[in-house]
Amino acid sequence: MGAWLSVLEQRFHLIERTTPAFATPKARTSHYRIIDNFLLSWLGALATPVAFLGLRPTAELAAEAAGRLRTLEGFALERLATALLHERSQRGVGDFPVTEPVRAWWDRSGAEIDLVLVHEADRRVVLGSCKRAGARLVRDLPRFDGHVARLLAANPRLAGWRVEKLAVAPLLDADQRRACTDAGYRPQDLNDLATGLLP
């Protein structure tokens, strides 16, 4: 299996191996995730409807596939937010400086944090949730609080650090921003993250 994974990762760039923040590079908690958008869409939304082409009406299957594509999350938003946060830190724009690469964190119990920003000198960690829809992001914040608590319990290194929470979606309206702020999160959409980076 290792040889196939290596080919998919290094030759075809369809997957990537990631380890959680604060883990060693050889940690057994690493994940492989699909980074090719077409493959992700095929496996997540299109494979099942295509398998039933001869058994169900095509229009019905096309509608089902379209619905699945609309709700398919993937990792594109996390990757874009990570790239923007790295760029902001490198240029000294805004207030998200980092001293380590922005990474994700997860554990074996299913907790997952999409963005972990660490600033060692300030003893500050920013933990972020990314969702493709602002309404879904707001609904998920109470569950995400539990994930934050699990990360803090699993990493004694962070005891005494300032912990901030970030809520990221492609676009956030005024009500969603207010709901995020009321829940103790700093709302950021892609417009916010790109501010100061464009000429």
Side-chain angles (χ1 to χ4, degrees):
M1 195 64 184
W4 285 106
L5 290 172
S6 178
V7 168
L8 291 173
E9 181 182 16
Q10 295 170 9
R11 183 172 175 194
F12 295 114
H13 305 286
L14 297 176
I15 63 173
E16 71 178 357
R17 180 179 181 272
T18 59
T19 55
F22 313 116
T24 61
K26 295 190 177 193
R28 296 182 58 90
T29 54
S30 63
H31 284 169
Y32 283 95
R33 63 183 187 182
I34 299 170
I35 57 173
D36 179 79
N37 288 333
F38 177 77
L39 179 60
L40 182 66
S41 299
W42 178 264
L43 294 174
L46 304 175
T48 302
V50 168
F52 289 106
L53 268 176
L55 304 173
R56 291 175 47 203
T58 303
E60 184 181 305
L61 292 169
E64 181 182 319
R68 289 183 182 198
L69 285 171
R70 278 194 295 275
T71 58
L72 185 69
E73 286 280 343
F75 300 102
L77 179 59
E78 289 93 332
R79 290 174 66 206
L80 180 57
T82 297
L84 289 169
L85 288 164
H86 280 159
E87 187 72 16
R88 293 178 74 79
S89 181
Q90 181 183 15
R91 293 194 193 183
V93 173
D95 57 353
F96 293 115
V98 294
T99 56
E100 299 177 14
V102 176
R103 296 168 68 184
W105 178 87
W106 58 87
D107 66 12
R108 294 180 187 271
S109 66
E112 186 169 352
I113 295 180
D114 301 317
L115 303 168
V116 178
L117 292 78
V118 174
H119 196 287
E120 186 84 35
D122 292 345
R123 294 174 55 84
R124 174 191 186 210
V125 62
V126 180
L127 307 173
S129 175
C130 295
K131 294 289 179 207
R132 226 172 65 167
R136 186 170 173 205
L137 176 70
V138 171
R139 281 194 309 271
D140 190 63
L141 294 181
R143 185 182 69 86
F144 189 76
D145 284 334
H147 296 193
V148 169
R150 292 222 288 271
L151 176 138
L152 295 174
N155 291 280
R157 163 190 176 187
L158 301 177
W161 284 39
R162 189 170 87 223
V163 178
E164 299 173 24
K165 296 181 286 187
L166 195 63
V168 178
L171 194 61
L172 291 167
D173 64 29
D175 291 337
Q176 292 162 350
R177 286 176 181 277
R178 193 174 311 107
C180 290
T181 302
D182 291 347
Y185 287 77
R186 180 166 174 185
Q188 293 282 286
D189 64 17
L190 293 180
N191 292 319
D192 299 323
L193 293 176
T195 300
L197 299 180
L198 302 174

